[in-house]
Amino acid sequence: MIDKVVVGDLDTNCWIIRAPGTNEAALIDPGAEPDRILQAVDGLDIRAIVLTHAHYDHVLAIPILTHQLKAPVLAHPAEKEVWQHELAHLEEHGHFDAGTATEDLLAVGRPPRATGQLWDGTVDRPLQDADTIAIGELEITVKHTPGHSPGSICLAIEGHLFTGDTLFPGGPGLTGAQWPLTSFEAIMRSIRGLLADTPDETQIHPGHGRDTTVGAERPHLREWATRGW
Ligand SMILES: [Zn+2]
Ligand SMILES: [Zn+2]
């Protein structure tokens, strides 16, 4: 029922959530490599393309996928500013801002750039906290979790949380004074709220890297708040 394709420069997890007993599915964070994503969803009826946030590494495959799959794009409206910021950075520097990975990518001669058409920023359905997305019998609940970006969201189905770049094994996603539109205080508040009403056995599926569980991460909240990142 849950599948992923790892795509692009930053090994972004593009998640596929299929409703049980149907071929209806949602696609989360089509970050790059549209051909590989299309292969993975072959035979599925993609009802929604949902963005956890609009950093470049989560959105670059949107133009080809919306064209091929005829699926709507769903995101929090506060991400409009984030995508505009991504485009402004591209314009100014000739490549996207890949956070702490930028220098490594430049050093190996792989500046983070798009191949092909860029997303025009169109969101077909703006999402707010507590909204639900119906995929067949499956209900996906939206949790607004600002901090890594102002309109970052996590997506919950029973037993599973898709956390984008908000929460990883070992701590929160990237925030800090040098990263525009981020807030450490906000991300910690968001993560506390997110974990407060979620059982320990719930699986966490982040935007990059391996899965974890709520029970494995919850004991470290205070330690993250103290270290400040
Ligand atoms: Zn991000
Ligand atoms: Zn990311």
Side-chain angles (χ1 to χ4, degrees), residues 10 52-58 79 82 86 97 148-149 152 164-166 168 173-174 208:
L10 300 181
T52 61
H53 64 301
H55 281 151
Y56 87 91
D57 56 307
H58 296 254
E79 289 305 287
V82 173
E86 295 289 81
D97 180 0
H148 177 67
S149 66
S152 272
D165 289 357
T166 294
F168 294 96
L174 187 65
H208 306 266

Side-chain angles (χ1 to χ4, degrees), residues 1-5 13-18 26-29 50-53 58 133 135 138-145 152-168 194-195 198 202-212 214:
M1 188 176 86
I2 294 170
D3 217 343
K4 77 170 168 179
V5 193
N13 292 329
C14 170
W15 296 99
I16 301 157
I17 312 176
R18 186 161 58 87
L27 189 65
I28 303 176
D29 289 350
V50 191
L51 310 181
T52 61
H53 64 301
H58 296 254
I133 303 161
I135 306 291
L138 192 70
E139 197 166 82
I140 303 174
T141 304
V142 174
K143 315 261 188 183
H144 182 209
T145 50
S152 272
I153 56 171
C154 295
L155 299 160
I157 60 174
E158 199 172 349
H160 303 269
L161 267 182
F162 298 85
T163 56
D165 289 357
T166 294
L167 178 59
F168 294 96
L194 184 69
L195 300 190
T198 310
T202 305
Q203 290 192 50
I204 292 174
H205 309 288
H208 306 266
R210 67 174 175 85
D211 291 352
T212 181
V214 169

Side-chain angles (χ1 to χ4, degrees), residues 24 43 60 74 85 95 100 144 193 212 222 224:
E24 292 186 29
L60 290 184
L74 286 65
H85 178 269
H95 59 78
T100 51
H144 182 209
T212 181
R222 188 169 301 168
W224 302 337

